Amino acid sequence: MNTGLFRPASVAEALALLARLPEARIIAGGASLVAMINARLVDPAALVTLAGIEELTGIAEAPGGGYRIGAMVRHRDLALQTRFGGTLAVVQMAAVQIANATVRNMGTIGGAVAHADPGLDYPPALIAADAKIEIAGPGGRRQLSAQEFFVDWYATALQPGEMVSAVHLPAARPGVGLYHKLARVSGDYATVSVALTMAHDGEAIDTRVAIGGCGPTPLMIEEVNRLLSGRPSAQDLRRAGELLQDAADPVDDVRGSAEYRLMLIPRMLARAYDEARVRGGAT
Ligand SMILES: Cc1cc2nc3c(=O)[nH]c(=O)nc-3n(C[C@H](O)[C@H](O)[C@H](O)COP(=O)(O)OP(=O)(O)OC[C@H]3O[C@@H](n4cnc5c(N)ncnc54)[C@H](O)[C@@H]3O)c2cc1C
């Protein structure tokens, strides 16, 4: 049973509350947490809302390029971003495809990454974009790559008493960023998703791919990125799909069988790769 709602005005105050009340749970947008409370999956002793912390709001341009996205930035605000060009478009494109307008108005990027549901749209997009997650804790601030941050089913590198304070995007690179999601119906979680960035640097082409919905954490394989960078042959593309299939660890659930998900991986990869190549003007 809830015994209290705490509304800190700063990250330091929030961290002090988490240290004092180890059974308390952070609430951000509440989209997932309230559903879990209603379903009696969790029963936090207290809730610490981040809604009053100014530092966690807003999207700031970083001095060397890139952006710092406060943990409380809503999906809606990222979906409406017009500043994310080039490779960073992958993040905006993922935000647009989250659920429906109601959930996008409630949910936050910090809440989504902390929740770490394998069907979420941001995790693969942030990995493809080479984003970093900023963590605030009793020992100060630290940053982890999105790839290091997601560690297992619904599990992240957050330690007790820590919270997500921001997500950092690197400077956009010229090229293409795209996010393809296959869901049973519009607004559902992904059965399988593909996040892909293709950066053009003169003649060089650098491709990064992350697959969502096919295991505990988004799947990114350096060998796949290497195969798809430059000007890959049809055989390279096929090999990349096979490598991802081999490494995937999907489950059977209401959104599709493991077998179906494995079948989708090379098909969705090829479609995303072809679209990126055409949009990027590569031959
Ligand atoms: C009906 C429905 C459909 C959805 N469909 C999709 C979808 O298609 N795609 C998609 O990507 N998502 C989907 N979601 C999830 C949505 O994106 C949520 O908003 C998100 O997962 C959680 O964000 P939140 O801000 O609401 O977090 P909350 O619900 O407030 O919190 C979620 C969890 O994260 C913790 N937490 C929150 N913020 C922080 C923080 N800053 N630091 C540390 N821990 C924190 C909380 O303690 C809790 O455990 C859906 C949700 C619902 C209810």
Side-chain angles (χ1 to χ4, degrees):
M1 199 180 81
N2 285 337
T3 54
L5 174 67
F6 296 85
R7 193 181 165 90
S10 66
V11 169
E13 257 182 56
L15 293 174
L17 278 165
L18 293 175
R20 186 158 63 82
L21 305 165
E23 302 303 314
R25 194 118 180 197
I26 289 173
I27 183 163
S32 297
L33 185 58
V34 171
M36 290 193 291
I37 292 171
N38 288 343
R40 301 188 193 285
L41 291 173
V42 294
D43 185 16
L47 294 174
V48 176
T49 173
L50 305 182
I53 305 180
E54 179 70 28
E55 189 215 314
L56 302 181
T57 62
I59 302 172
E61 276 180 49
Y67 297 92
R68 179 184 187 275
I69 305 170
M72 286 298 285
V73 168
R74 310 274 165 179
H75 307 332
R76 171 201 58 213
D77 296 319
L78 286 167
L80 294 174
Q81 266 307 308
T82 51
R83 288 182 286 176
F84 293 175
T87 49
L88 291 190
V90 65
V91 176
Q92 187 264 347
M93 218 172 150
V96 169
Q97 294 179 65
I98 295 175
N100 50 50
T102 309
V103 171
R104 288 196 295 275
N105 282 335
M106 284 178 79
T108 65
I109 191 165
V113 297
H115 190 45
D117 182 316
L120 294 181
D121 295 302
Y122 283 136
L126 294 176
I127 289 176
D130 204 12
K132 289 197 161 49
I133 313 298
E134 180 188 297
I135 297 169
R141 305 269 172 135
R142 62 191 177 109
Q143 288 187 19
L144 289 181
S145 71
Q147 228 176 328
E148 294 169 302
F149 181 79
F150 300 105
V151 298
D152 210 338
W153 302 98
Y154 298 93
T156 69
L158 282 174
Q159 297 299 311
E162 289 187 325
M163 58 182 272
V164 174
S165 43
V167 171
H168 293 261
L169 301 182
R173 298 173 70 188
V176 180
L178 56 81
Y179 182 75
H180 285 183
K181 169 177 181 175
L182 189 132
R184 292 175 304 173
V185 291
S186 167
D188 195 10
Y189 287 89
T191 302
V192 175
S193 63
V194 177
L196 187 147
T197 59
M198 191 181 275
H200 294 247
D201 184 5
E203 284 299 296
I205 298 176
D206 180 20
T207 302
R208 290 169 62 87
V209 175
I211 304 287
C214 286
T217 60
L219 192 56
M220 174 176 272
I221 301 175
E222 285 311 321
E223 175 66 4
V224 167
N225 293 344
R226 197 191 58 73
L227 279 167
L228 298 182
S229 294
R231 287 183 163 68
S233 62
Q235 196 183 342
D236 291 332
L237 186 54
R238 235 186 349 264
R239 179 76 191 124
E242 286 166 3
L243 285 171
L244 288 165
Q245 268 181 324
D246 289 348
D249 183 20
V251 291
D252 296 326
D253 68 14
V254 292
R255 297 192 169 81
S257 65
E259 191 187 356
Y260 177 55
R261 288 178 153 106
L262 288 174
M263 187 199 76
L264 287 172
I265 291 174
R267 288 165 172 76
M268 289 182 65
L269 174 70
R271 191 186 295 181
Y273 179 80
D274 284 346
E275 182 182 327
R277 210 183 45 164
V278 169
R279 282 179 34 198
T283 51

